[in-house]
Amino acid sequence: MTIKKCLLIGLFIIFSVVLYGCQDKEQNDKNNLQQVADCKELMQQWNGQLASKQMTCWYTNESDKKWLEEQAKSFEKEYGIQVSIVFYDGMSFFEDLNKANQKGEGPDLYLLGNDQLQLAAQGGMANENAYFTEDFFVKQYPEIAKKAVTYQDKQYGYPIYFDTYCLVYDANLLQTAPASIDDILAFLDEYEDTGSTKAVFRWDVADPYINSMFFASYANLFGENGDEPETFSVNNEKCVSAMEYYQSLSAYLWMNKSNISHEIIANRIKDGTLVLGLCKTDILPVLLQSQSEKDAQDENGTNYQISYVPSLTSELSSTAFSTTYSAFVNPYANNDTAANMFGLYLSYFKAGQQYEGNGKLPVVNQKDQFDETKQIIYAQYLNSKPVPKVTVLGDYLAESGIVFDKIWSGENAKEQLDTLQSIMQEKIKK
């Protein structure tokens, strides 16, 4: 996969050369627009520059379909621009994007997670966002979003929504949310199942994305912004201690990795057979539905609440990954002006309608419009680490998954982390 990606990057860079001849004029236009402090005025300026009233937007998350179609109708009503919404379900996004561009059929805008940003930026498949002033971004968007959409000191796209992890717990059984996994183990020692066959604590232990939380506070996973492939370190003393703690949990929790997944955990919450679980934030609609259907005061029922991802112990912290999904403008777009308009429209103007549209929380802070549960998830996002955007991310997830599995099964944590360090250094050199 890595070799293929590298070849694609080289191919994309070659194609991107054709853009250079017109960059000076485009950059001057951007500099003029960048000084506009009011987004409505910026939209008006763009609207006056439109060469066409039609554009195309690709998306890859099926759950976005209804929301995007609704926003496209609203956008057309307000600006007279017709947006064709197209679901991409292929396996090689940038390869297919490149082929579509060569035929003049590429999308004007597309939605992807920040983990794909290096491929997009180095391949010349995403326009730099030069319209947001530093002051505007700091006031309207959190620092975590800026890190997520920044590659090599350049900012790309319009951040829209995010995914991360949270702790779900049954407040009928725990008066307060556990601050650490040690607290969960203390609860486990005292907990007596009265016949309800509840699992006490579960997460998808086969998923390296979530397991990285155990050492992410101490590891260097490709630099501060996740865009430095040569910056990688996972075998220091603190990382080893964190993974030894991770290993110790296998004796307490009796989890069969083959029988645990995000979907199974969500289903356990639906049927009330879980006490605590580490869940993706897309659990929120499930949780709210569960709360509406059950009596929180019923002692025999459940009262699921959301809290922050717990630390490991009083001395070892945890850090969850997050993925920020953004709208990126295709440099080979037929209507890049409309693409910028729709990207800003989704990111900024329609942030307040994000959750109702697809069950995701917006990157832009809705403050008082967020209820307590949403505020907790948003705070978790603010304290997360952007998932790395380097092309070797796939290699890291695959190799770390093998290492996590071996450590969980009892193999020496230090030796396994040394192995991961060595393998990744070789991958990075290629």
Side-chain angles (χ1 to χ4, degrees), residues 165-176:
Y165 280 86
C166 58
L167 177 71
V168 175
Y169 70 100
D170 186 350
N172 281 347
L173 297 174
L174 296 101
Q175 292 184 346
T176 59

Side-chain angles (χ1 to χ4, degrees), residues 15-27:
F15 277 107
S16 68
V17 171
V18 301
L19 296 177
Y20 293 169
C22 58
Q23 276 187 339
D24 289 342
K25 180 180 182 302
E26 290 180 355
Q27 191 61 50

Side-chain angles (χ1 to χ4, degrees), residues 135-146:
D135 183 62
F136 173 82
F137 202 98
V138 168
K139 287 182 178 178
Q140 302 298 333
Y141 294 85
E143 180 66 21
I144 182 72
K146 187 171 180 63

Side-chain angles (χ1 to χ4, degrees), residues 231-264:
T231 306
F232 183 84
S233 175
V234 295
N235 60 345
N236 59 57
E237 185 177 344
K238 281 285 193 179
C239 286
V240 173
S241 295
M243 292 313 295
E244 287 175 342
Y245 181 81
Y246 166 84
Q247 184 179 76
S248 72
L249 298 177
S250 63
Y252 278 94
L253 300 176
W254 298 88
M255 289 196 289
N256 184 341
K257 297 187 295 296
S258 62
N259 292 329
I260 300 174
S261 67
H262 299 294
E263 183 179 0
I264 289 174

